[in-house]
Amino acid sequence: GNSVTQMEGPVTLSEEAFLTINCTYTATGYPSLFWYVQYPGEGLQLLLKATKADDKGSNKGFEATYRKETTSFHLEKGSVQVSDSAVYFCAVNNAGNMLTFGGGTRLMVKP
Amino acid sequence: EADIYQTPRYLVIGTGKKITLECSQTMGHDKMYWYQQDPGMELHLIHYSYGVNSTEKGDLSSESTVSRIRTEHFPLTLESARPSHTSQYLCASSEDRGRYTEAFFGQGTRLTVV
């Protein structure tokens, strides 16, 4: 079956710092890759996605590139804000129609 | 903006009580899911449904039950709540789009059993 491994958190950064959250996956076939974000007290929201190799998903200043050769989908942002403090989940979906989530990475941004 | 709603948002209830967590979506999605989220944040799939009258157990064994009598409604029931059931419960839905399938989540119900 599919699996997703994310870097352990919490990740603590100062405002305007550069963010990387690592994500690697195991899946057969040609999966789609997703990043979801969960703000405090809320459900998950789709942040960005990529559906084929070398695609770059982007939204709200966040980016992630689908790297099939390294089976990775690392999340990056050039300058984080306090409002980016949340839990981030990487997910994979191949033709099985079921998302497989990583364990989540908590990001804390200090002013 | 996704149209999937969970009620209640917060529930504190005594041991032994029967509870039902409601989940409704207005997007006409066939697939619906229930996840349990532990304090360590990890999501565990406990139930899912491919459509009306379809229910399946997920990866994590749960004492809860679900029903799917209408496309838009996927309630979760605990017949006798226990403190071990204290958790965040997230409902989600999706279209059938193969590997492009993305899920839409409700805001969650935080359940505390005392």
Side-chain angles (χ1 to χ4, degrees):
Chain A
N2 300 340
S3 68
V4 177
T5 302
Q6 292 182 232
M7 64 188 290
E8 297 249 347
V11 174
T12 304
L13 296 173
S14 297
E15 206 164 23
E16 300 183 1
F18 184 86
L19 168 71
T20 300
I21 300 178
N22 291 337
C23 170
T24 57
Y25 67 91
T26 303
T28 56
Y30 301 92
S32 293
L33 304 174
F34 305 84
W35 276 102
Y36 281 80
V37 59
Q38 185 179 29
Y39 297 104
E42 302 292 326
L44 277 68
Q45 304 172 23
L46 180 66
L47 180 61
L48 54 84
K49 64 183 178 183
T51 59
K52 62 182 188 294
D54 300 325
D55 261 4
K56 178 184 285 188
S58 61
N59 186 25
K60 299 181 181 181
F62 291 89
E63 293 182 340
T65 301
Y66 189 143
R67 300 289 188 199
K68 193 168 177 63
E69 65 276 12
T70 54
T71 63
S72 65
F73 193 53
H74 304 322
L75 183 68
E76 297 181 335
K77 187 176 186 183
S79 176
V80 293
Q81 305 300 312
V82 172
S83 57
D84 293 326
S85 298
V87 180
Y88 293 83
F89 290 90
C90 184
V92 62
N93 185 11
N94 60 11
N97 297 337
M98 195 76 73
L99 283 166
T100 299
F101 289 92
T105 302
R106 184 180 302 277
L107 170 65
M108 299 170 61
V109 181
K110 298 183 175 181
Chain B
E1 192 84 14
D3 296 313
I4 178 165
Y5 308 100
Q6 291 186 241
T7 57
R9 288 290 309 277
Y10 304 93
L11 178 61
V12 180
I13 200 161
T15 298
K17 299 292 186 183
K18 178 180 178 179
I19 59 170
T20 297
L21 308 185
E22 301 289 348
C23 176
S24 295
Q25 51 96 4
T26 58
M27 296 172 283
H29 290 168
D30 283 329
K31 292 183 169 59
M32 296 189 75
Y33 316 85
W34 276 104
Y35 289 87
Q36 186 172 340
Q37 186 173 27
D38 61 26
M41 306 172 301
E42 189 162 355
L43 296 167
H44 302 284
L45 181 66
I46 52 175
H47 298 285
Y48 60 98
S49 168
Y50 287 129
V52 171
N53 295 325
S54 154
T55 59
E56 303 285 345
K57 290 191 179 296
D59 305 323
L60 180 69
S61 175
S62 173
E63 293 168 346
S64 59
T65 59
V66 292
S67 62
R68 190 85 184 277
I69 298 172
R70 304 198 314 266
T71 298
E72 62 271 22
H73 196 213
F74 191 42
L76 180 145
T77 298
L78 277 165
E79 290 292 333
S80 179
R82 294 208 299 268
S84 61
H85 296 138
T86 294
S87 191
Q88 166 96 324
Y89 292 85
L90 294 170
C91 181
S93 71
S94 68
E95 293 181 274
D96 184 357
R97 300 182 62 217
R99 69 182 186 90
Y100 302 103
T101 297
E102 61 186 77
F104 296 86
F105 283 80
Q107 291 187 298
T109 295
R110 182 163 295 284
L111 172 66
T112 303
V113 183
V114 298

